[in-house]
Amino acid sequence: MLWIKDHLLALVEQYGVIALFFSITLETLGLPLPGESALVASSAAAGAGKLSIWHVVIAAYAAAVLGDNIGYLIGHRYGRAVILRYGARIGITHDKYMRVEEITAKYGPFMVIAARFIVLLRQLNGLVAGSSGMHWAKFLIANLIGAALWVGLWSTLAYKFGHDVSIVPWIWNHLSLIAMVVFPLLLLLIAVLYWRVCWKKDDITEN
């Protein structure tokens, strides 16, 4: 993975948003590709005047939504057993899949939103949502929101610092750590508020 990150800026400079699109799309299908790093590198390149930031944002958002929905369809059509049987070849192990299943069962669509900011969840949330039977409409809405937040955050930050491309590794290493802490907490807060509302509705109905 390290050598891939080391060559991201060169790939972005050579292939532009095409490299970004395929990196994010394939990452959301479970492949061990650094989609988030590609987004940061592309946005930084846009800030340095090498790419159009609008092309970066559109390509990243389309790839994020498309990749997750392809993953959902694969999970829905072929199910858990088939994914685990063939997914081990690309790192989709039984333990990883179980961990994401547990989170999905607990938080549902909220997991899909927060999944964008967490490496393992970002790679597997579409597959798991499909194989676990989450309704596609719920998944799609959460996916659209999560992709917008994810692309908006990283593209804005990296674009602002893009005049100095040497700062890209710093952005990725430090802000990704912050995101890994902040967004799970945000997810937990949303889930708590959601269940409190449902609990109050149940009380009102019973009374």
Side-chain angles (χ1 to χ4, degrees):
M1 289 294 292
L2 292 177
W3 72 267
I4 296 178
K5 291 178 184 178
D6 291 339
H7 289 81
L8 268 176
L9 287 175
L11 288 173
V12 168
E13 186 172 351
Q14 184 175 358
Y15 298 107
V17 295
I18 296 176
L20 170 67
F21 180 85
F22 283 105
S23 178
I24 293 177
T25 300
L26 295 176
E27 183 196 36
T28 55
L29 294 177
L31 295 178
L33 294 176
E36 190 168 82
S37 296
L39 174 57
V40 171
S42 298
S43 301
K50 297 178 181 179
L51 294 172
S52 165
I53 187 60
W54 292 111
H55 292 169
V56 170
V57 169
I58 292 170
Y61 187 71
V65 174
L66 176 64
D68 264 355
N69 277 276
I70 293 174
Y72 178 91
L73 292 174
I74 292 173
H76 182 72
R77 181 176 179 82
Y78 297 105
R80 184 177 189 273
V82 174
I83 293 172
L84 290 176
R85 181 179 178 183
Y86 297 101
R89 301 174 185 177
I90 57 173
I92 302 178
T93 64
H94 180 269
D95 290 341
K96 289 181 179 179
Y97 208 80
M98 280 189 62
R99 283 165 58 191
V100 180
E101 282 182 326
E102 291 172 358
I103 297 173
T104 302
K106 189 173 183 179
Y107 298 109
F110 297 119
M111 180 278 295
V112 178
I113 296 175
R116 276 284 154 202
F117 300 89
I118 304 171
V119 176
L120 178 61
L121 298 184
R122 184 168 61 250
Q123 292 175 312
L124 299 181
N125 85 94
L127 294 169
V128 172
S131 65
S132 64
M134 182 184 297
H135 195 283
W136 179 72
K138 290 182 179 180
F139 174 79
L140 177 61
I141 293 172
N143 182 224
L144 291 170
I145 295 172
L149 293 173
W150 181 69
V151 172
L153 172 69
W154 291 118
S155 61
T156 299
L157 290 174
Y159 181 75
K160 292 295 184 182
F161 291 103
H163 296 293
D164 179 11
V165 295
S166 64
I167 204 171
V168 172
W170 184 93
I171 295 174
W172 194 90
N173 288 328
H174 288 76
L175 294 183
S176 61
L177 293 176
I178 295 174
M180 288 176 65
V181 174
V182 171
F183 283 94
L185 291 176
L186 179 61
L187 173 65
L188 180 61
L189 176 61
I190 293 173
V192 169
L193 292 175
Y194 173 79
W195 289 117
R196 286 189 65 181
V197 170
C198 291
W199 180 72
K200 288 181 179 179
K201 286 183 179 180
D202 290 339
D203 283 349
I204 292 173
T205 302
E206 290 177 1
N207 293 332

